[in-house]
Structure formats: structure tokens, C-alpha cells
Amino acid sequence: MNQAHSVQSLFQPFTLGNMKLSNRIVMAPMTRAFSPGGVPGDDVLNYYRRRAENGVGLIVTEGTVINHPAASSNPNVPHFHGDKALNGWAKIVKSVHEAGGRIIPQLWHVGTQRSIGKPPNPESLPIGPSGLTDEGLIVNEPMTYREIDAVVEAFAQAAADAKRLGFDGIELHGAHGYLIDQFFWEKTNQRNDHYGGNFIDRTRFAVEIIQACRRAVGPDFPIIFRYSQWKRRPFSAKLVETPEQLAQFLFPLVDAGVDIFHCSTRRFWEPEFEGHLSILQVGQRN
């Protein structure tokens, strides 16, 4: 494949379920924290509208927090719950669509990366599969089954609200050492029940979230899932060691209802697996 042909493919239409894109240029989610009290205003609307006006086929919003008291530790990160926040997002969806774009929210829970004592709910402790941070610090007891069910339901409710507001799909944030990823990673998931175990068994929490979201939105509403090998600490972390293990890891998520994987890579100049090309090398070959 020559470079001209490779670049040209970005401008081809793409259809998935009910989502029809004019091209394959996707704006990745980028945390901005410009939503005081969790409510996105006109400045946020104008920010996303400008991207649609300038030809971005699909916009993935910054991380938006689900309806759980420990989902965030920044009061300016936008919520994806509550009338004021959802009304703000409804206006954004309408504006992006009027500009010819498509938009999906990234649904997010930070887990044990939440800073203790910080707003918007300073009394809420961080939560995680084993109550451990990525540095091995104990910040809480392991999540109970009741807590797990509550988080699963909060993701599903956010998915249902996204469809109701007219979004074109959703993205679940399962990367970078946040809550879903904390269940994936053996360092932060040391449970000995059915939410722990080997790298395949540790997908159960994500599977339940995906299944609940799929039930909430139906078969034709796209679900994108973001995952990463790396964590905020350390960048060198790996969930799996071989391409074969990666396929085994991803299959339960596909089976649960994921349509597209958003693969987050930090050290793009390094091969992910021994004997394979890095993203940089693949780009140079094309």
C-alpha cells in the first residue's frame, strides 16, 4: 500500500449500525475540565462544533463521569448525569449534528485514581477491585458485589441517556489504569472471586458493563471500548504478553457487545510484542 492510497482511505465514508460517518477522521477524547460543576456550557458547545465544522467525521468527547460519587475528583470534569449536565450535552449533540458531524460521549470512572478528599464529593473514598492504587497503596476495602452492581447500572444508565439525547454511540473508558482497567490489571486486581483470576477472568467486570450497556441501547447503537496495555504508572505495564493472549483477552469483550476497539498506545515507537513492528515502523512502511 502506498502512502497516497493509505491517506486517501481516511476520507472514505464509514457506517456502523445506525452511525454513518462522512469520513474516518476521529477526534480522540481529551480531558479539558472546562465544565464548572460538571455542566458543559456554551464554550464547550462551541469547542466541539468547530471540530465538526472543520471536517472531523467522529468526535469522541472528553471523559464524562457516570453517576457515582467516587467517579471523579475534579469538579470541572463534565458529568453525564443530572438534568443540567444532560441538557448541556443535548445542546452540544444538536449543534454538532447541525454542523454535519457525529459525536459520542466517553463514559468514565477513575476508580482508585480519585484523590481522597477532593470535590465534587470530598467524603467519598476511591473504589477499586481490591482497593489498591497503581502504586500498591491501600485506599479502601475491595469493592463489594453491591458496589459493583451499582457501577454497572450507572454505566448502563449513561448509555441509555446517550441514546436518548441523540448521540451516535458511546465509548467506554477501559484504559490508562482507571476503574475498568483496574479490574483488568493483576497489580490492582488481587481478588480471588469470579472478578479476579487470570487475564481472561479479569474481564468479567467489563463484560458485565458492556452487556448492561448493550441491553440499554439495543443492537444497532455502536459501543466503542478504549483499552491500553500501559498505565499512568508505569507506562511499561502490560495486560498481555503475546498477540495470542491479546486475542483471548479481547474475545469476551467482543462477545459481550463491543463493536470497535480504541487501542491507546503511548510509546508508539516501541513494538508492543517482541518480533513485531511498532506503530511508527508500520507508518514508515506505508
Side-chain angles (χ1 to χ4, degrees):
M1 181 183 295
N2 61 46
Q3 187 173 10
H5 182 76
S6 176
V7 172
Q8 189 58 38
S9 65
L10 291 173
F11 299 94
Q12 300 301 312
F14 178 81
T15 299
L16 175 65
N18 292 329
M19 182 175 69
K20 297 182 179 181
L21 307 182
S22 60
N23 60 59
R24 303 179 185 213
I25 298 171
V26 180
M27 175 179 167
M30 293 175 281
T31 297
R32 302 179 70 243
F34 286 172
S35 300
V39 179
D42 288 343
D43 55 338
V44 178
L45 181 151
N46 291 331
Y47 171 80
Y48 287 118
R49 183 183 177 92
R50 285 196 299 271
R51 273 67 190 170
E53 289 173 339
N54 285 276
V56 173
L58 176 64
I59 296 167
V60 184
T61 74
E62 61 208 286
T64 68
V65 294
I66 62 170
N67 188 14
H68 187 273
S72 174
S73 56
N74 187 328
N76 296 317
V77 166
H79 294 171
F80 210 81
H81 59 88
D83 290 342
K84 290 183 178 179
L86 293 179
N87 287 340
W89 284 117
K91 293 176 183 177
I92 291 169
V93 172
K94 182 175 184 292
S95 183
V96 167
H97 285 171
E98 287 175 347
R102 295 293 179 263
I103 185 169
I104 67 174
Q106 185 188 72
L107 307 179
W108 189 27
H109 192 303
V110 302
T112 56
Q113 289 197 33
R114 170 176 164 73
S115 299
I116 294 176
K118 291 292 185 69
N121 300 300
E123 73 286 354
S124 297
L125 290 175
I127 63 169
S130 299
L132 296 169
T133 69
D134 51 13
E135 295 178 305
L137 301 176
I138 299 174
V139 292
N140 203 347
E141 296 297 316
M143 288 175 67
T144 65
Y145 295 150
R146 179 177 294 182
E147 288 174 323
I148 288 173
D149 289 345
V151 171
V152 170
E153 175 55 33
F155 272 105
Q157 183 59 58
D161 286 334
K163 183 175 182 179
R164 176 177 60 83
L165 295 177
F167 279 93
D168 300 288
I170 60 168
E171 175 170 286
L172 300 172
H173 198 340
H176 306 168
Y178 295 117
L179 181 60
I180 295 175
D181 198 19
Q182 288 161 18
F183 274 83
F184 288 154
W185 195 29
E186 62 182 348
K187 184 172 180 179
T188 46
N189 184 351
Q190 298 182 6
R191 301 175 73 101
N192 55 17
D193 61 5
H194 51 283
Y195 289 100
N198 63 35
F199 68 89
I200 300 174
D201 294 336
R202 294 195 299 270
T203 65
R204 182 181 179 114
F205 178 64
V207 164
E208 291 185 0
I209 290 172
I210 296 161
Q211 289 173 334
C213 289
R214 179 55 72 201
R215 288 192 296 269
V217 300
D220 296 322
F221 194 73
I223 296 178
I224 300 174
F225 192 92
R226 193 179 202 191
Y227 79 96
S228 67
Q229 292 263 60
W230 65 274
K231 318 301 166 204
R232 289 178 63 189
R233 289 180 296 269
F235 294 155
S236 59
K238 290 187 182 295
L239 296 175
V240 295
E241 297 294 336
T242 68
E244 293 74 23
Q245 287 182 348
L246 179 60
Q248 291 176 306
F249 168 76
L250 294 178
F251 181 80
L253 309 183
V254 174
D255 195 47
V258 170
D259 296 299
I260 297 175
F261 286 104
H262 178 176
C263 311
S264 177
T265 301
R266 191 174 188 100
R267 293 177 172 170
F268 58 88
W269 60 91
E270 295 179 353
E272 194 59 51
F273 303 111
E274 186 176 352
H276 290 258
L277 298 177
S278 69
I279 292 176
L280 180 61
Q281 291 168 322
V282 170
Q284 289 171 338
R285 282 195 172 190
N286 289 336

